Amino acid sequence: MNLKQLSHMLSLSQTTVSRALNGYPEVSEETRRRVMDAAKRHGYRPNPSARRLATGKSGMIGYVLPTGASVDIDPHFVEFLSGLGDYARSHELDLVLSPADADDEETTYRRIVANRQVDAVYISSPRPADRRLALVNTLGIPFIVHGRSEGLDFDYPYLDIDNEGAFHEAARLLLQLGHKRLALINGNERETFAIHRERGVRRALAASGMTLGERHIRSVTMTEENGYRAARRLLEEAEPPTAIVCSSLIMALGVVRAVRDLGLTIPGDLSLIAHDDVFPWLRPENFPVPLSTTRSSIRLAGARVAERLAARISGLEEGARGEVWPVDLVVRGSVAGAPV
Amino acid sequence: MNLKQLSHMLSLSQTTVSRALNGYPEVSEETRRRVMDAAKRHGYRPNPSARRLATGKSGMIGYVLPTGASVDIDPHFVEFLSGLGDYARSHELDLVLSPADADDEETTYRRIVANRQVDAVYISSPRPADRRLALVNTLGIPFIVHGRSEGLDFDYPYLDIDNEGAFHEAARLLLQLGHKRLALINGNERETFAIHRERGVRRALAASGMTLGERHIRSVTMTEENGYRAARRLLEEAEPPTAIVCSSLIMALGVVRAVRDLGLTIPGDLSLIAHDDVFPWLRPENFPVPLSTTRSSIRLAGARVAERLAARISGLEEGARGEVWPVDLVVRGSVAGAPV
DNA sequence: CAAGTTAGCCAAAGCGCTTTGGAACACTCT
DNA sequence: AGAGTGTTCCAAAGCGCTTTGGCTAACTTG
């Protein structure tokens, strides 16, 4: 059942039927009702390929997925996707993942824009002066950044959490508890979120007249193993930290293991706070010692990004509005006063 | 630059240019070369929307993503996606995720097939008599199942690992080590993989004249917390198991925690083997006691599924070929002889 | 050498929608 | 009554490709 057949059986032109269906004003209410009725009765669904060719709109949102034999997709991605998908579903939006060579995403961005494959894209894990943002900005496709960049000479729409504030609060709490030697086990230092977190910790220390030594900060990909290694190195120093702030629950698993291996205890010898993106399958309250966290649901972020993307597509949102979510500090058993 | 312009500047018809580009035989080699040349020089890329409208082919593969407020996407998904994306990239295939209400995926399948949005789909986490398979089979779209169903009255193409064999081997090893009381902490009992694993364990037990009691098998969603709970219940019984086979590394984390909480040790009091899908961020050798595993890279499976999907789209693969991968049993420190 | 092939090309008809530029008609105003 | 203003509809021209059905010229074949 296509438009031609439908209009024929209604003795109307394709024009009128099309307009009736798409809510254009130049069609009488009675006719519209007739058309709507017949469409529903015959289960007419406009062919998206045809519509796309005619309008250039695809009804999909895009994501360029960096791939490669040695490229790992962030496990956070799946949670973000849950939220995104949940919203997208209610708006009949599909998501197209365009795999790209991790060393050359630009080609793929250009392709999906030139081909008008998607109506909007989102970008995640931005870095300072991220070239993808400049690219996508000049290409003129609607987009939203999940996270933030820095040092760009233009504004852009984004959704981010207050990483600096969160880690500032975490560090401040530890300082208030009397800790003098803090360490930070961070994510990849080239990503903005990690930079912001470091900044937060430094700011808290500075307020107490302290600084974060080179040796007291580790920036690594967020795996259990890297958490373990980082913690071991830190804890085996001459003057080991008495408190650690850690950028992910997964790394925190490694930290806990290192602490145990060294015969130390939490929070007796070491206080620990980690960032929690809220995974259904790993919860901080279930750590051997319930873990204090800075918490922000990455899933909700996914839903919100989808919502804003949809708004941009339909022209309801414009401009470079940035949105920063506050982060909860949830104190559990893993922090205590500094050991004497 | 579109076909019309290109053909005009070559003084050829659109027909000929189109055919030259698409490798049809009714065009002379010289002309073809001229066309190819000009196309490359002017960066001509056929408009996919137009091509799709004309051919009905989209150059994308589809996946129906169950969503909902209380629906969690399996963390394995992201690793599978890595492999899939890695292959898809080299073939300029995009992946479209169509979010669906988890309680009604059928509508979405029908939609993407009717709209010809994708050239093929894959289906994951199949259950016995899974209705999605019957649906997709009658809808006539090329597909591959990652995993297997059971009790269907037709054959279908799939890629699965030998879950039964893997867990049979794992259980057999434990029995050989003298364990008399085995337990299984399994995934969702409604999924075929879990059924197969249970079958493997039972078969091994049966060969030694034993059975798996109702109380010695737990089927739960694979979270750390559920692993912990299941293990605690098992270990607090009057006659606790001396060996556990576990369906995922994530649950194994919980098992290890439970063992510790109860003041027991691995492998002194309990031997543990878990299935490892090979995550970059959590490795069995890094468990407090290196974990024995049945291992199979879900990432490789993703790549293979993409490969076969591509083959089906281009007509190179047909029929209902099933492919079952063997699983490695990797023995590490977490298993030992049964305590006396 | 006439008839039949074949190689190489083209014009035009789709694919199924949206949108432009009117046309027809019924009103309202002066 | 005639001009002006809406309202409601339509024919046809796209969107940019693929594919059908031919046409021409050159080449076999008996």
Side-chain angles (χ1 to χ4, degrees):
Chain A
M1 169 70 42
N2 58 23
L3 185 60
K4 194 169 179 180
Q5 294 166 24
L6 183 64
S7 58
H8 196 256
M9 76 182 2
L10 282 165
S11 303
L12 283 172
S13 73
Q14 297 191 33
T15 309
T16 304
V17 175
S18 170
R19 289 188 158 149
L21 259 21
N22 293 322
Y24 282 70
E26 51 270 85
V27 76
S28 74
E29 271 317 310
E30 192 211 320
T31 312
R32 189 189 305 280
R33 228 183 303 277
R34 263 181 66 218
V35 171
M36 294 283 223
D37 251 44
K40 174 161 289 178
R41 217 173 31 251
H42 295 85
Y44 168 73
R45 302 271 284 164
N47 176 318
S49 303
R51 166 175 281 177
R52 165 187 305 204
L53 179 58
T55 63
K57 296 277 174 189
S58 67
M60 315 207 207
I61 64 191
Y63 179 71
V64 171
L65 186 76
T67 60
S70 60
V71 179
D72 299 324
I73 303 182
D74 194 315
H76 299 320
F77 180 67
V78 73
E79 268 306 297
F80 184 85
L81 207 58
S82 283
L84 190 88
D86 202 17
Y87 182 91
R89 168 170 56 90
S90 57
H91 289 243
E92 294 228 358
L93 277 173
D94 285 341
L95 175 68
V96 15
L97 303 183
S98 301
D101 183 340
D103 295 326
D104 174 29
E105 297 184 35
E106 178 166 343
T107 307
T108 305
Y109 277 105
R110 288 191 183 281
R111 188 195 85 210
I112 65 180
V113 171
N115 290 347
R116 299 174 149 271
Q117 289 199 85
V118 296
D119 297 338
V121 300
Y122 85 87
I123 290 180
S124 68
S125 306
R127 305 177 166 204
D130 200 306
R131 305 189 53 187
R132 294 174 299 172
L133 304 207
L135 177 62
V136 136
N137 196 47
T138 63
L139 289 178
I141 187 173
F143 69 98
I144 295 230
V145 180
H146 179 218
R148 256 177 290 182
S149 182
E150 282 196 336
L152 254 25
D153 56 0
F154 58 92
D155 289 330
Y156 53 90
Y158 66 82
L159 173 67
D160 197 6
I161 62 174
D162 183 11
N163 282 301
E164 179 177 340
F167 273 45
H168 174 261
E169 283 306 296
R172 202 162 66 100
L173 170 64
L174 293 167
L175 292 171
Q176 282 171 347
L177 287 169
H179 292 272
K180 303 285 183 216
R181 294 193 303 275
L182 285 200
L184 170 64
I185 302 183
N186 211 348
N188 185 337
E189 64 198 334
R190 301 181 54 192
E191 295 193 26
T192 318
F193 85 89
I195 294 169
H196 285 185
R197 289 179 185 179
E198 178 176 335
R199 203 174 283 163
V201 171
R202 287 193 191 280
R203 187 152 58 80
L205 284 168
S208 301
M210 308 161 125
T211 56
L212 189 65
E214 265 309 309
R215 290 200 329 285
H216 282 127
I217 171 168
R218 307 270 167 210
S219 287
V220 290
T221 5
M222 305 198 277
T223 68
E224 193 272 352
E225 182 167 350
N226 284 336
Y228 178 83
R229 289 196 180 152
R232 264 204 91 121
R233 272 202 217 147
L234 288 168
L235 295 172
E236 284 175 338
E237 281 180 10
E239 295 202 317
T242 60
I244 289 181
V245 187
C246 174
S247 259
S248 94
L249 275 200
I250 294 174
M251 286 200 297
L253 282 174
V255 174
V256 168
R257 182 162 61 95
V259 167
R260 277 212 152 113
D261 275 9
L262 294 170
L264 304 173
T265 63
I266 295 175
D269 304 297
L270 182 78
S271 286
L272 181 60
I273 303 181
H275 183 73
D276 176 20
D277 294 287
V278 190
F279 295 122
W281 42 270
L282 182 61
R283 308 175 60 199
E285 49 268 57
N286 290 332
F287 270 55
V289 175
L291 196 62
S292 301
T293 57
T294 53
R295 179 182 60 193
S296 181
S297 163
I298 198 170
R299 187 165 182 162
L300 289 180
R304 178 64 181 145
V305 164
E307 184 180 6
R308 290 186 58 189
L309 244 16
R312 290 199 159 249
I313 290 173
S314 52
L316 297 176
E317 179 183 311
E318 286 182 328
R321 203 157 60 77
E323 190 173 331
V324 177
W325 287 4
V327 175
D328 299 326
L329 176 60
V330 185
V331 180
R332 300 193 184 85
S334 68
V335 298
V340 204
Chain B
M1 167 70 43
N2 58 21
L3 185 60
K4 192 170 179 179
Q5 295 166 22
L6 183 64
S7 60
H8 194 257
M9 75 182 4
L10 282 164
S11 303
L12 283 172
S13 74
Q14 298 190 33
T15 309
T16 304
V17 175
S18 171
R19 290 188 154 147
L21 258 21
N22 293 322
Y24 281 70
E26 51 270 84
V27 77
S28 75
E29 271 316 309
E30 192 210 320
T31 313
R32 187 187 306 280
R33 226 182 305 277
R34 261 182 67 216
V35 172
M36 295 282 224
D37 251 45
K40 175 161 289 175
R41 215 172 34 250
H42 296 85
Y44 168 73
R45 304 269 288 164
N47 177 318
S49 301
R51 167 175 279 177
R52 164 186 304 203
L53 179 59
T55 63
K57 296 277 174 190
S58 67
M60 314 209 219
I61 64 192
Y63 180 70
V64 172
L65 186 76
T67 59
S70 61
V71 179
D72 300 324
I73 302 181
D74 194 315
H76 299 321
F77 180 67
V78 72
E79 268 306 296
F80 184 84
L81 206 59
S82 283
L84 191 89
D86 203 17
Y87 181 91
R89 167 171 57 90
S90 57
H91 289 244
E92 295 228 355
L93 277 174
D94 286 340
L95 175 68
V96 15
L97 303 184
S98 302
D101 183 338
D103 296 325
D104 173 28
E105 298 183 34
E106 178 166 342
T107 307
T108 305
Y109 277 106
R110 288 191 182 280
R111 189 194 85 209
I112 65 179
V113 170
N115 290 347
R116 301 175 148 269
Q117 289 201 85
V118 295
D119 298 338
V121 300
Y122 85 88
I123 290 180
S124 69
S125 307
R127 305 178 165 203
D130 199 307
R131 305 188 53 186
R132 294 174 299 170
L133 303 205
L135 177 61
V136 136
N137 196 48
T138 63
L139 288 178
I141 187 172
F143 71 98
I144 297 232
V145 179
H146 179 219
R148 255 177 291 182
S149 182
E150 282 196 335
L152 254 25
D153 57 359
F154 58 92
D155 289 330
Y156 53 90
Y158 66 82
L159 173 66
D160 197 5
I161 61 174
D162 184 10
N163 282 302
E164 180 177 340
F167 273 44
H168 175 262
E169 284 305 296
R172 201 162 65 100
L173 170 64
L174 293 168
L175 293 172
Q176 281 173 349
L177 287 169
H179 292 272
K180 305 285 183 213
R181 294 194 302 274
L182 284 198
L184 170 63
I185 301 182
N186 211 348
N188 186 337
E189 64 198 334
R190 301 181 55 191
E191 295 194 26
T192 318
F193 84 90
I195 294 170
H196 285 184
R197 289 178 185 179
E198 177 176 337
R199 202 173 285 163
V201 171
R202 286 194 191 280
R203 187 153 57 80
L205 284 168
S208 301
M210 308 161 107
T211 55
L212 189 64
E214 265 309 309
R215 290 202 328 284
H216 283 127
I217 171 167
R218 306 271 168 210
S219 286
V220 291
T221 0
M222 305 199 276
T223 68
E224 193 271 351
E225 181 167 352
N226 284 337
Y228 177 83
R229 289 196 181 153
R232 264 205 93 119
R233 270 201 219 150
L234 289 167
L235 294 172
E236 283 176 338
E237 282 181 10
E239 295 202 316
T242 60
I244 289 181
V245 188
C246 174
S247 258
S248 95
L249 276 199
I250 294 174
M251 286 200 296
L253 282 174
V255 173
V256 168
R257 182 161 62 95
V259 167
R260 277 212 153 113
D261 275 8
L262 293 172
L264 304 174
T265 64
I266 293 176
D269 303 298
L270 182 78
S271 286
L272 180 60
I273 303 182
H275 183 73
D276 177 20
D277 292 289
V278 190
F279 295 122
W281 42 272
L282 182 61
R283 308 175 60 199
E285 49 269 57
N286 291 332
F287 270 55
V289 176
L291 195 62
S292 301
T293 57
T294 53
R295 178 182 60 193
S296 181
S297 163
I298 200 170
R299 186 164 183 162
L300 288 180
R304 178 64 180 144
V305 164
E307 184 180 6
R308 289 187 58 189
L309 245 16
R312 290 201 157 247
I313 290 173
S314 52
L316 297 176
E317 180 184 309
E318 287 182 327
R321 203 156 61 77
E323 190 174 331
V324 178
W325 287 3
V327 175
D328 300 326
L329 176 61
V330 185
V331 179
R332 300 193 184 84
S334 69
V335 298
V340 204

